[in-house]
Amino acid sequence: MAGIRLHPEDIDISQARALSTADLISDDDRSIAADSWSIKSDYGSTLDDDQRHADASEALAAARFCAASDYSSDKEEADAETFTFTSMLGYQSYWDATYADELTNFREHGDAGEVWFGADVMEMVASWTKGLCIDISQRQLQNHHNDLDDDSVSESVSQDLAGWSVVDVGTGNGLLLQELAKQGFSDLTGTDYSEGAINLARSLAIRDGFTGIKLLVDDVLETKLEKKFELVMDKGTLDAIGLHQDGPIKRIMYWESMSRLVAPGGLLVITSCNNTKEELVQEVENFNQRKIGEMEEEEEGRGGLFW
């Protein structure tokens, strides 16, 4: 799990900084939570998708990535077969076919379909996220209302939790949103680029009594959502994006989209099986530095000064 928090307000270049180890809260080697993600959260709102892809390609060309030869092995044929299989998870056609089958199984047998990472992990993610949000809310209340007793703080935090705006990107069957609803969140939205996934998630939400969950067809890399969310959830979506043949470029586009979806002061929580904590932190740091460079160039072009 990974939780990355934006500054409460937009920042300027003199305030920008990369994540450091001291910013992290972690419950295992694949979990991070940072107190600050120093990017301009409304960046890119005027760019079309072609320009975003071009910007990502340019950034990728300047970065260092391992060559294919670095992954050679004695079992070249088996590895090639494995890569072909796993890379299918990065393509919409795979997920469209998968959710068409799962929707049929639901209609015929009531089966909810595969739970990505398993039900136990999904429940742990929801519980961990609730705890992180409660901790943030408690600190904010105590900082602004020193005279509140513990009971008043607990009551206020519970009410505040229900008001968090939440979106789950790449929601699949939407069961993570149901778990978050059980934890006390109520302003819940799920998006997926597969219409079949949204149809399945909507059917399950109706069956299980979670009719308040909003479900939309939307590609996170080309998101049409205009709303910013206090909590953005990603359980396996970044993993799948990285399995596309243009994965490195698409991952840069992913961070661009996150910078627009996460509200200032909000959280991005990532659950990944393909990236370690250190790799995720480095990816955010690289994104931070690129955005800082772009802002510097933009200000210099307008005659701005930095010190």
Side-chain angles (χ1 to χ4, degrees), residues 228-291:
K228 290 182 179 291
F229 296 85
E230 294 166 278
L231 175 60
V232 178
M233 302 294 297
D234 173 345
K235 185 168 68 69
T237 299
L238 182 58
D239 286 348
I241 288 170
L243 293 173
H244 191 279
Q245 66 178 9
D246 295 328
I249 292 175
K250 289 183 176 293
R251 289 176 76 99
I252 293 174
M253 295 172 67
Y254 170 90
W255 293 112
E256 298 280 8
S257 291
M258 290 302 105
S259 73
R260 295 195 304 278
L261 284 176
V262 184
L267 289 170
L268 166 62
V269 176
I270 298 174
T271 305
S272 172
C273 65
N274 291 346
N275 299 102
T276 64
K277 175 182 69 177
E278 291 77 16
E279 289 168 342
L280 287 171
V281 170
Q282 186 60 56
E283 201 164 352
V284 174
E285 288 180 342
N286 291 343
F287 182 81
N288 282 346
Q289 292 305 315
R290 187 166 68 86
K291 302 316 297 176

Side-chain angles (χ1 to χ4, degrees), residues 155-176:
E155 182 178 353
S156 297
V157 166
S158 296
Q159 294 173 351
D160 183 60
L161 195 65
W164 281 61
S165 56
V166 183
V167 63
D168 180 25
V169 295
T171 194
N173 58 19
L175 292 183
L176 176 59

Side-chain angles (χ1 to χ4, degrees), residues 3 21 24 36 101 104 118 126 222 226 241 249 252 266 271 301 307:
T21 322
L24 303 181
S36 169
D101 289 341
T104 298
E222 302 174 3
E226 297 181 356
I241 288 170
I249 292 175
I252 293 174
T271 305
W307 57 85

Side-chain angles (χ1 to χ4, degrees), residues 198-218:
I198 293 301
N199 288 337
L200 176 61
R202 188 173 290 124
S203 297
L204 288 168
I206 293 172
R207 184 195 70 178
D208 298 336
F210 295 96
T211 55
I213 295 176
K214 296 178 286 291
L215 295 157
L216 308 168
V217 177
D218 186 71

